[in-house]
Amino acid sequence: MQQQRRRQRQQQRQQQQQTGKHHAELRPRTPAVKREDPDPKHQQKQQHHRQQHNLKREEEGQHSQGKQQPSPMLQQQQQKQQQQEQQQQQLHVLYEGSAQRTMSCPMPGPLTHSEFGGLEALMEEEEGSGQDDQFCYTCFEVNIKPVLLADGRRAMVVSIKDNTEQIQVQAALSELAEAQLALLAGIMPHHALQFLALESTSAVPTNAASLAREHKGCTIMFMDIVGFTSMCKVVPPQQVLLFLNNLFSMCDRLTDKHGVHKVETAGDCYIVSGGIMSNHPTNGFLCTKEEVGEPEDPQRWARQVLEFSKDLLYEAKKVCMPHTGEPVSVRIGIHSGEVVSGLIGTKLPKFSLFGDTMNTSARMESTGVPGRIHVSETTQGLLPEYAWESVGLIPVKGKGNMHTYLWDSNKSWSGLPCISADKTQTSHIFGAMLPLPPEIDCLKGK
């Protein structure tokens, strides 16, 4: 029985084998087709999906097995994600010292630009440095450039460069340039500075006419120190310099108070003008009144200069002569008229005033009285409300005889035209025996 069963099984196997070969012979053969390589992007997506699937399986297996340390592949992926989040949110810049400052730098969505950034770190004051009014900071230049990797992924190249020393040098140069510009802006008007900035000083002579400005109705004041020449013979030069600096610094403060313009100093002479420069700077620069369109007001300009001179007489007494210790005595001369301003010279170009008004103001000072304000008849005519002492006709070099006046510091204001005097009295104040004019006898006997 067993043998028969074995034979039957062998026969069945042979029949099955013969049947399979027959079907294989009957099946048509298809030609072999060479499969093309898939799309690289498709391969990258499949590879990315496989990596994500493997990471999930590893993470699930770790949780199921109770493992605490992730696999190396998972660690790399987590690190990359953290780096991307940090780069997209902000860049941290650590400054010198204990304080930490943060500079926000949000990244764009698709990084398609060739370069992104060029950021400068902020400069913050370092607290607790122990130095008052001192800044302690570190500056970094941060450049971010997007790149495309070989596998098609996007990445960023971040370069950080310490530019502290360069920024400090630039800041020092900028402060120096601003200080120089502020110094020049207090000396020259805007149109002169603009010309010097665009042209060289060698072009000043050929453009002197275009730089000249005419000023009508202005008032000029000259101030001179009595006994300055004799003082310089016995006082060391350093002490003379300190003395002049103290006195002229006081004069500078008074110019700001009364809105007049300091023209220049020549030795012990201090020169002031009213009606030339505007008291309202344009963008921080001085401008002439004609440039800003201010209306002419000779009376107001003369009043400003006179009030400045009155304060100058009072404040000068607070300064003592270095060799005698006595209060400083000054002579002041004022005249009103027309002047011309402009630049002269190719070396150390100087903004100066020219005209007969300058010469007459200087003569009013040189023929004046120590401790008094000596004005011309033109200036007195602009300010009739003040108390004046009529000096009469005096000889003035280059001008002939001029009728001049002295401001009466004892009255300040008066509606009276003159002071009492005797017809036979003579004046010695100008170093010459000059008869007083008859009109000043109006108050005789009162």
Side-chain angles (χ1 to χ4, degrees), residues 394-424:
I394 63 170
V396 178
K397 184 179 179 180
K399 301 290 294 182
N401 294 331
M402 293 185 62
H403 195 177
T404 61
Y405 296 83
L406 289 173
W407 172 67
D408 187 359
S409 58
N410 296 324
K411 294 184 179 180
S412 297
W413 298 86
S414 175
L416 300 177
C418 54
I419 64 170
S420 61
D422 185 53
K423 289 184 180 181
T424 60

Side-chain angles (χ1 to χ4, degrees), residues 93 377 402:
V93 180
E377 187 175 14
M402 293 185 62

Side-chain angles (χ1 to χ4, degrees), residues 309-323:
S309 303
K310 290 165 57 177
D311 271 2
L312 178 56
L313 284 179
Y314 177 77
E315 295 294 334
K317 296 178 181 179
K318 299 179 182 180
V319 183
C320 297
M321 299 293 286
H323 63 306

Side-chain angles (χ1 to χ4, degrees), residues 39-94:
D39 188 8
K41 293 184 179 180
H42 184 66
Q43 286 185 351
Q44 292 175 6
K45 290 182 180 179
Q46 288 182 347
Q47 184 179 0
H48 179 69
H49 289 313
R50 285 196 297 268
Q51 290 178 356
Q52 294 292 337
H53 182 69
N54 294 335
L55 289 173
K56 289 182 180 179
R57 291 183 59 185
E58 290 180 1
E59 189 174 1
E60 291 175 358
Q62 288 171 4
H63 284 294
S64 62
Q65 295 177 7
K67 293 182 181 181
Q68 298 180 356
Q69 296 182 354
S71 64
M73 185 178 297
L74 183 60
Q75 289 180 353
Q76 293 179 1
Q77 186 69 15
Q78 291 176 352
Q79 290 178 359
K80 289 181 180 179
Q81 292 179 356
Q82 292 177 359
Q83 290 177 359
Q84 291 178 358
E85 291 176 358
Q86 291 177 357
Q87 291 173 356
Q88 292 177 358
Q89 296 296 330
Q90 59 187 0
L91 294 174
H92 296 282
V93 180
L94 183 62

Side-chain angles (χ1 to χ4, degrees), residues 234-246:
V234 296
V235 175
Q238 294 85 353
Q239 196 170 356
V240 174
L241 177 64
L242 294 176
F243 165 73
L244 287 178
N245 179 69
N246 187 20

Side-chain angles (χ1 to χ4, degrees), residues 221 223 247 250-260 270 303-319 328 330 332 334 371-373 386 407 409 412:
M221 185 220 74
M223 183 274 288
L247 181 63
M250 177 268 298
C251 295
D252 293 341
R253 292 189 293 270
L254 292 178
T255 59
D256 296 333
K257 175 183 177 181
H258 294 282
V260 295
Y270 194 93
R303 187 179 301 109
Q304 289 176 340
V305 174
L306 182 60
E307 291 297 328
F308 167 82
S309 303
K310 290 165 57 177
D311 271 2
L312 178 56
L313 284 179
Y314 177 77
E315 295 294 334
K317 296 178 181 179
K318 299 179 182 180
V319 183
V328 172
V330 297
I332 295 178
I334 301 176
R372 302 294 296 273
I373 300 175
Y386 286 85
W407 172 67
S409 58
S412 297

Side-chain angles (χ1 to χ4, degrees), residues 1-211:
M1 293 294 291
Q2 294 180 355
Q3 292 179 357
Q4 289 179 0
R5 290 177 181 176
R6 290 177 181 174
R7 290 176 184 174
Q8 290 177 0
R9 291 175 182 173
Q10 289 178 358
Q11 290 177 0
Q12 290 177 357
R13 290 174 182 172
Q14 290 177 358
Q15 290 178 0
Q16 290 176 358
Q17 291 177 358
Q18 290 177 0
T19 305
K21 291 180 179 180
H22 177 71
H23 287 298
E25 291 177 355
L26 295 177
R27 188 183 303 118
R29 294 184 178 182
T30 57
V33 179
K34 186 177 181 180
R35 297 182 62 184
E36 296 181 357
D37 294 335
D39 188 8
K41 293 184 179 180
H42 184 66
Q43 286 185 351
Q44 292 175 6
K45 290 182 180 179
Q46 288 182 347
Q47 184 179 0
H48 179 69
H49 289 313
R50 285 196 297 268
Q51 290 178 356
Q52 294 292 337
H53 182 69
N54 294 335
L55 289 173
K56 289 182 180 179
R57 291 183 59 185
E58 290 180 1
E59 189 174 1
E60 291 175 358
Q62 288 171 4
H63 284 294
S64 62
Q65 295 177 7
K67 293 182 181 181
Q68 298 180 356
Q69 296 182 354
S71 64
M73 185 178 297
L74 183 60
Q75 289 180 353
Q76 293 179 1
Q77 186 69 15
Q78 291 176 352
Q79 290 178 359
K80 289 181 180 179
Q81 292 179 356
Q82 292 177 359
Q83 290 177 359
Q84 291 178 358
E85 291 176 358
Q86 291 177 357
Q87 291 173 356
Q88 292 177 358
Q89 296 296 330
Q90 59 187 0
L91 294 174
H92 296 282
V93 180
L94 183 62
Y95 290 86
E96 288 182 354
S98 59
Q100 181 176 359
R101 304 290 185 266
T102 302
M103 181 179 65
S104 298
C105 178
M107 299 300 298
L111 296 176
T112 57
H113 301 285
S114 59
E115 289 187 5
F116 174 77
L119 306 174
E120 262 186 25
L122 303 175
M123 297 187 297
E124 296 286 346
E125 180 180 3
E126 182 67 19
E127 299 178 356
S129 60
Q131 299 178 356
D132 296 336
D133 299 332
Q134 296 290 333
F135 289 91
C136 181
Y137 54 83
T138 301
C139 297
F140 294 93
E141 179 182 351
V142 182
N143 291 319
I144 305 175
K145 183 178 181 180
V147 294
L148 185 64
L149 301 180
D151 57 359
R153 292 182 299 170
R154 296 180 181 274
M156 292 184 301
V157 177
V158 181
S159 62
I160 302 177
K161 181 182 178 181
D162 188 354
N163 285 347
T164 305
E165 184 176 357
Q166 180 181 357
I167 295 298
Q168 290 176 349
V169 171
Q170 292 178 355
L173 292 176
S174 178
E175 292 178 358
L176 179 61
E178 290 180 0
Q180 293 175 345
L181 186 60
L183 178 62
L184 292 175
I187 299 174
M188 298 183 182
H190 179 261
H191 72 277
L193 285 177
Q194 186 176 16
F195 175 82
L196 293 177
L198 299 177
E199 302 289 344
S200 62
T201 56
S202 60
V204 172
T206 57
N207 295 272
S210 62
L211 292 173

